[in-house]
Amino acid sequence: MELPVVEFVRRFMQHILPDRFYKIRYYGILSTSAVSRKLQQCCGLLNQNQILSSPYMGLTTYEILEEILGPDAFTCPCCKKGKMVFAAPVPGPDSS
């Protein structure tokens, strides 16, 4: 989508709140007060059982990604044998 500069600025300015106003991020069922009661009420209105745990509960991030993306997602693209792992970079001899 292409917009003239004036229209872009007009649309952008609509997202800026006036002085002494603040954005309420979580309101209603997303608010932090009485979450379990509200969630239970929503599930009751939808005739759905409340999900108590995730199928990924207890798994590491790596295991979850492997479950979602498949076992070949972390295979080295060069040698096709080894697995790529995420680690902090090792400082070289020049860094201090």
Side-chain angles (χ1 to χ4, degrees):
M1 172 189 289
E2 289 185 22
L3 293 174
V5 174
V6 174
E7 178 62 16
F8 173 79
V9 171
R10 184 189 74 78
R11 290 183 185 191
F12 182 80
M13 294 296 286
Q14 288 179 338
H15 293 86
I16 299 174
L17 295 172
D19 287 344
R20 298 186 313 271
F21 280 76
Y22 62 94
K23 186 182 290 188
I24 300 173
R25 292 179 187 260
Y26 300 108
Y27 179 76
I29 63 171
L30 298 177
S31 68
T32 55
S33 62
V35 170
S36 61
R37 181 180 53 81
K38 291 176 188 173
L39 183 59
Q40 186 179 10
Q41 184 179 11
C42 288
C43 290
L45 292 170
L46 294 171
N47 294 324
Q48 297 288 322
N49 291 331
Q50 185 174 349
I51 299 171
L52 298 176
S53 65
S54 168
Y56 303 115
M57 191 74 111
L59 297 177
T60 65
T61 304
Y62 184 80
E63 292 169 335
I64 293 170
L65 288 172
E66 198 170 49
E67 176 99 12
I68 294 169
L69 301 174
D72 297 334
F74 298 105
T75 303
C76 177
C78 297
C79 69
K80 307 284 188 217
K81 294 179 184 176
K83 279 194 168 188
M84 295 187 298
V85 294
F86 299 99
V90 177
D94 297 337
S95 63
S96 41

